[in-house]
Amino acid sequence: MKKLLMLGGAQSQISAIKKARDMGCYIIICDTLEEAPGKKYAHEYYNICTTDKEAVLHVAKSLQIDGIVSYAADSGVLTAAYVAEKLGLPSHPYKSVETITNKELFRKFQQAHDFHIPKAKAYSSVDQAKADFHRFTLPVMIKPVDSSGSKGISKIDSIYLLEEKAGIALRFSKTKRFIIEEYIENYGPHIGGDGFSVNGKLVFRSFSNEYFSVNCANPFVSITATWPSIMPERIQNSVHEEIQRLLGLLEMKTGAYNFDIRVDQQENVYLIEMAARNGGDWNPDLIQCVTGVDLIEYTIKAALGENCSSLMMARPQGYWASYVLHSERKGIFKEIKIAEELKNNVVTSYLTVNLGERVSPSLDGHVYLGLMVLRFSSICEMKEKTKRLHEHIQAFVEDINIRC
């Protein structure tokens, strides 16, 4: 029985843990949460932070693991690459994973290799940024160089907001650095979705249409993703080529990727971010619904060094969406109400909170009430109904002072 070390046991990681068990693996989980939902599906559990590379390496070495996975979580991606490289296990190069994980390193790499990028520069102090601010065309994005889940991100159109928003970004940065980059206006929807490379070749990708909610506390958290992509085939092919060029330059190997991409009016492709992991929010589950391809299984195979050469592109079937259930205010959670006209579209859903539990607005991609999967009969129905999901799916929250 092969030993697989999985970094994290959150609700969003259970599908991968269960899949690995079904594939006959012996599952070891590292997570600092004693009540991690995925723990009950594991054979062993260690209370270790997934970002602690040396602690995870010590456990991995002592247990003589056969593979390591950080599924749908940025926090453990670098650790997984580090441990795998140290132990000679299958993985992408650690330096390459570090490059695409850190926004400052990624922009420098892209610039050196003539990718389309927004004008960008990283700083460790607000005073340095103020001195350069006149060089940027507004609006600009302020981001921590090393955070995930849209934590600490802001969009500003005035120098008077710089100090406040840079301060927020710095609070979410482990290295205490933030990056300013010019905002890229989209042609069509923001491109998300997942892909997979075998020996460095992008053999599979499933692009989604991502939409953000202006009603959320953080408007840069993706709330809705729909499949298949509505972008013209020529643009999808251009995006594919740019991803492949990046993979080649970074000498990536076999594994999954999550995309965060924009295309401007001139059809220039901007690889805003690309993570060396499967996407969250049920991305691989939705992609299996859309294409029949089980990316979770291939991710586990890749981590164990098994043959992934059977993976290839698959045409999308049907019209699908994932929707992040969220609250727009703080309070006591009562229920999720779904409009009658949408009920027949709901395939499945789950909640991460209980009735009567305190909830907060979604400030990042890790704070939400649950997820919902929907299916539509046509692309027209998909477009029309997903535009109004925030009206048709409502979280009812009671004020805390009323309950008290």
Side-chain angles (χ1 to χ4, degrees), residues 9-56:
Q11 181 74 40
S12 59
Q13 296 169 308
I14 287 176
S15 56
I17 297 167
K18 291 171 76 173
K19 171 61 72 172
R21 278 199 70 133
D22 291 344
M23 291 169 68
C25 295
Y26 184 88
I27 309 299
I28 304 129
I29 285 180
C30 288
D31 197 305
T32 53
L33 185 64
E34 286 284 352
E35 287 76 40
K39 182 180 174 182
K40 63 183 176 183
Y41 301 103
H43 297 94
E44 287 188 52
Y45 163 82
Y46 291 85
N47 190 316
I48 295 174
C49 181
T50 59
T51 61
D52 189 336
K53 295 195 287 285
E54 296 303 331
V56 174

Side-chain angles (χ1 to χ4, degrees), residues 89-216:
L89 298 173
S91 174
H92 302 300
Y94 174 78
K95 278 293 180 188
S96 298
V97 175
E98 184 181 41
T99 296
I100 60 175
T101 301
N102 183 289
K103 295 174 180 64
E104 179 179 7
L105 295 178
F106 191 37
R107 289 290 178 265
K108 286 180 178 178
F109 181 89
Q110 288 175 300
Q111 185 173 29
H113 295 281
D114 298 320
F115 286 89
H116 289 288
I117 60 169
K119 185 175 183 179
K121 189 174 178 182
Y123 303 91
S124 54
S125 82
V126 177
D127 287 341
Q128 291 172 341
K130 281 182 177 176
D132 277 354
F133 199 72
H134 67 282
R135 302 178 188 274
F136 293 96
T137 299
L138 300 179
V140 295
M141 302 297 294
I142 312 292
K143 307 175 181 180
V145 299
D146 52 356
S147 73
S148 61
S150 300
K151 293 191 292 288
I153 293 179
S154 304
K155 178 183 174 184
I156 66 172
D157 56 9
S158 167
I159 193 170
Y160 300 110
L161 295 169
L162 177 60
E163 188 163 355
E164 175 195 350
K165 301 305 183 182
I168 293 170
L170 287 169
R171 288 206 300 273
F172 284 99
S173 171
K174 298 179 189 69
T175 57
K176 299 304 174 189
R177 286 182 69 76
F178 65 94
I179 193 166
I180 298 177
E181 57 183 42
E182 293 178 355
Y183 182 74
I184 303 298
E185 290 288 352
N186 247 4
Y187 162 67
H190 193 95
I191 299 173
D194 286 11
F196 201 97
S197 67
V198 176
N199 298 324
K201 182 180 179 183
L202 185 65
V203 296
F204 177 87
R205 43 85 172 167
S206 180
F207 296 139
S208 65
N209 316 291
E210 281 198 18
Y211 303 96
F212 304 85
S213 175
V214 293
N215 299 318
C216 283

Side-chain angles (χ1 to χ4, degrees), residues 110-327:
Q110 288 175 300
Q111 185 173 29
H113 295 281
D114 298 320
F115 286 89
H116 289 288
I117 60 169
K119 185 175 183 179
K121 189 174 178 182
Y123 303 91
S124 54
S125 82
V126 177
D127 287 341
Q128 291 172 341
K130 281 182 177 176
D132 277 354
F133 199 72
H134 67 282
R135 302 178 188 274
F136 293 96
T137 299
L138 300 179
V140 295
M141 302 297 294
I142 312 292
K143 307 175 181 180
V145 299
D146 52 356
S147 73
S148 61
S150 300
K151 293 191 292 288
I153 293 179
S154 304
K155 178 183 174 184
I156 66 172
D157 56 9
S158 167
I159 193 170
Y160 300 110
L161 295 169
L162 177 60
E163 188 163 355
E164 175 195 350
K165 301 305 183 182
I168 293 170
L170 287 169
R171 288 206 300 273
F172 284 99
S173 171
K174 298 179 189 69
T175 57
K176 299 304 174 189
R177 286 182 69 76
F178 65 94
I179 193 166
I180 298 177
E181 57 183 42
E182 293 178 355
Y183 182 74
I184 303 298
E185 290 288 352
N186 247 4
Y187 162 67
H190 193 95
I191 299 173
D194 286 11
F196 201 97
S197 67
V198 176
N199 298 324
K201 182 180 179 183
L202 185 65
V203 296
F204 177 87
R205 43 85 172 167
S206 180
F207 296 139
S208 65
N209 316 291
E210 281 198 18
Y211 303 96
F212 304 85
S213 175
V214 293
N215 299 318
C216 283
N218 182 344
F220 304 107
V221 175
S222 175
I223 296 298
T224 307
T226 68
W227 283 264
S229 173
I230 62 172
M231 295 294 262
E233 198 69 27
R234 69 178 186 281
I235 292 180
Q236 293 188 54
N237 291 337
S238 294
V239 174
H240 187 113
E241 289 168 9
E242 281 295 88
I243 294 169
Q244 182 59 68
R245 189 162 75 90
L246 179 68
L247 298 183
L249 289 166
L250 288 169
E251 299 182 351
M252 301 298 272
K253 306 301 181 186
T254 300
Y257 307 95
N258 179 240
F259 305 129
D260 189 357
I261 299 165
R262 292 196 157 220
V263 177
D264 68 16
Q265 293 290 339
Q266 288 73 47
E267 299 189 5
N268 297 313
V269 176
Y270 293 79
L271 304 179
I272 302 297
E273 291 184 29
M274 197 174 83
R277 59 163 176 81
N278 300 90
D281 297 345
W282 278 356
N283 259 26
D285 304 81
L286 263 295
I287 288 169
Q288 186 169 7
C289 291
V290 176
T291 66
V293 172
D294 189 345
L295 285 182
I296 302 176
E297 182 175 335
Y298 281 105
T299 294
I300 294 162
K301 281 184 173 183
L304 297 171
E306 296 179 3
N307 191 344
C308 295
S309 61
S310 61
L311 179 57
M312 61 185 68
M313 287 292 294
R315 290 195 66 81
Q317 302 293 323
Y319 308 94
W320 300 79
S322 65
Y323 183 69
V324 177
L325 302 172
H326 59 282
S327 175

